[in-house]
Amino acid sequence: MSTLLARRELAPKIYELVVESGRIARKAQPGQFVVVMAHERAERIPLTIADADPQAGTITLVVLVAGASTLELSQLRPGQSLYAIIGPLGKPSQVEQVAQVVMVAGGVGTAPIYPIARAFYQAGSQVITIQGARTKELLFWTERLASVSHRHIITTDDGSFGRRGLVTEPLREVLQEDTERQIGCIYAIGPAVMMKNCVRVAESFARKIIVSLNPIMVDGTGMCGGCRVEVGGQTFFACVDGPEFDGRLVNWDLFISRQKLYHEQETCLLMQYSPHESEKPSAST
Ligand code: NAD
Ligand code: FES
């Protein structure tokens, strides 16, 4: 069992959890994830390792409350234990020596982008980050991302902070400006439709783009087939073959339709979910 050491609400329905796990913290590399279970009967939830501190023996996870399971997880209190946590899982990001990289983070995708951006920054690449959210209140880790970026562009859909619009607009501009083709790598992490549209932009400039796929996962170890995705006409398991893939080769329509498979059931469960009064979060925790 791993103890939850800290919990912070970053934005509405988005929580940062710092979890004690020395073994995972020592092994974790950018791009990898864990599968957690809040209690014995809980669903298994895959979450990217957004940060790791090997000295302190902690990892940082960011949870978006999207259903009953993530709601349950987000309501744990510091001092409580997670029933199970396995990882690090998945293949680490390939941090290449390139002059420039562009990191596109959409919404909660900010959390998984951060350790990858930091790895490229520490490897000496010029890092351009584009961070988008629907509105100012949903932005988080802006300073953290800026600290590993040489250029940091923020967008909000409604224009309440930074530039008005979607992340794809500055991506297009940055690629237009790059006439000497210094940008050797683009990463996009966020909602599937955002990643799909970032891929379209990258393709229009004949650039490679890596995306991180988050299909439905169960065991996270290649056994159940739940996370299968089609990439380049072949079937892969995102948990062991990914989660990162060449975005140009992903069958996006299939990926998006499979992501929605249990949407109705999730919505029903969330509506039925009613935590005990004492389990409801207070504003200060
Ligand atoms: P969101 O819907 O608020 O969108 C965030 C930003 O993405 C927007 O501000 C916009 O700039 C961009 N975007 C959205 N739709 C776009 C479009 N059609 N074209 C271009 N850009 C677009 O994001 P959210 O609510 O934080 O995201 C939640 C989703 O992100 C969940 O469904 C979750 O599965 C996914 N997610 C994916 C990963 C991953 O590893 N791929 C990690 C975390 C979250
Ligand atoms: Fe079961 Fe990937 S989650 S095979």
Side-chain angles (χ1 to χ4, degrees):
M1 286 200 190
S2 293
T3 306
L4 176 67
L5 300 177
R7 167 191 185 273
R8 187 160 69 103
E9 187 170 1
L10 297 173
K13 294 190 179 177
I14 304 174
Y15 294 86
E16 176 187 290
L17 307 179
V18 179
V19 178
E20 181 187 39
S21 181
R23 190 188 54 79
I24 297 177
R26 281 190 298 279
K27 286 190 168 178
Q29 293 181 59
Q32 291 189 299
F33 65 98
V34 289
V35 170
V36 300
M37 287 174 75
H39 57 79
E40 199 175 353
R41 284 167 292 103
E43 264 188 346
R44 297 153 189 241
I45 305 172
L47 294 168
T48 304
I49 304 166
D51 206 354
D53 184 338
Q55 272 77 43
T58 61
I59 58 169
T60 302
L61 309 172
V62 173
V63 187
L64 168 71
V65 175
S69 310
T70 42
L71 178 61
E72 231 169 22
L73 181 64
S74 74
Q75 290 188 338
L76 289 180
R77 291 289 177 276
Q80 287 187 298
S81 293
L82 293 169
Y83 173 70
I85 178 162
I86 59 164
L89 300 170
K91 290 186 176 166
S93 310
Q94 288 191 344
V95 181
E96 304 163 39
Q97 290 286 334
V98 290
Q100 285 188 5
V101 291
V102 182
M103 297 279 152
V104 192
V108 189
T110 296
I113 274 284
Y114 169 71
I116 308 170
R118 182 176 57 186
F120 275 100
Y121 187 88
Q122 289 172 345
S125 297
Q126 290 277 318
V127 180
I128 302 168
T129 48
I130 302 171
Q131 180 180 9
R134 270 172 279 145
T135 186
K136 183 183 172 184
E137 285 68 39
L138 292 172
L139 281 167
F140 66 92
W141 284 15
T142 50
E143 285 177 19
R144 209 163 174 161
L145 208 47
S147 73
V148 295
S149 309
H150 297 87
R151 187 175 167 199
H152 183 208
I153 301 164
I154 297 178
T155 64
T156 49
D157 302 9
D158 63 2
S160 53
F161 194 88
R163 284 180 53 161
R164 179 192 289 270
L166 306 176
V167 287
T168 34
E169 292 161 31
L171 175 61
R172 184 180 298 283
E173 288 169 15
V174 162
L175 293 176
Q176 256 159 4
E177 287 164 17
D178 184 35
T179 50
E180 291 181 14
R181 295 184 78 89
Q182 292 294 300
I183 296 167
C185 189
I186 305 167
Y187 267 81
I189 308 184
V193 64
M194 174 217 116
M195 294 192 284
K196 179 183 173 180
N197 286 335
C198 287
V199 169
R200 281 196 181 142
V201 173
E203 274 182 323
S204 68
F205 290 87
R207 301 303 180 96
K208 184 179 170 186
I209 177 166
I210 305 293
V211 296
S212 179
L213 299 183
N214 62 331
I216 293 160
M217 286 193 188
V218 183
D219 62 308
T221 58
M223 303 292 284
C224 71
C227 67
R228 63 184 180 277
V229 292
E230 193 183 298
V231 182
Q234 291 184 1
T235 297
F236 291 96
F237 293 160
C239 65
V240 287
D241 301 317
E244 292 176 8
F245 293 95
D246 184 333
R248 297 167 302 179
L249 303 177
V250 173
N251 181 337
W252 287 104
D253 293 340
L254 184 62
F255 178 68
I256 290 168
S257 70
R258 278 187 57 78
Q259 263 196 333
K260 291 179 186 158
L261 269 181
Y262 300 105
H263 184 72
E264 213 173 293
Q265 287 90 333
E266 270 291 345
T267 309
C268 284
L269 274 175
L270 186 58
M271 283 164 71
Q272 286 163 15
Y273 183 79
S274 160
H276 187 273
E277 200 57 37
S278 64
E279 293 172 354
K280 287 183 181 170
S282 67
S284 59
T285 53

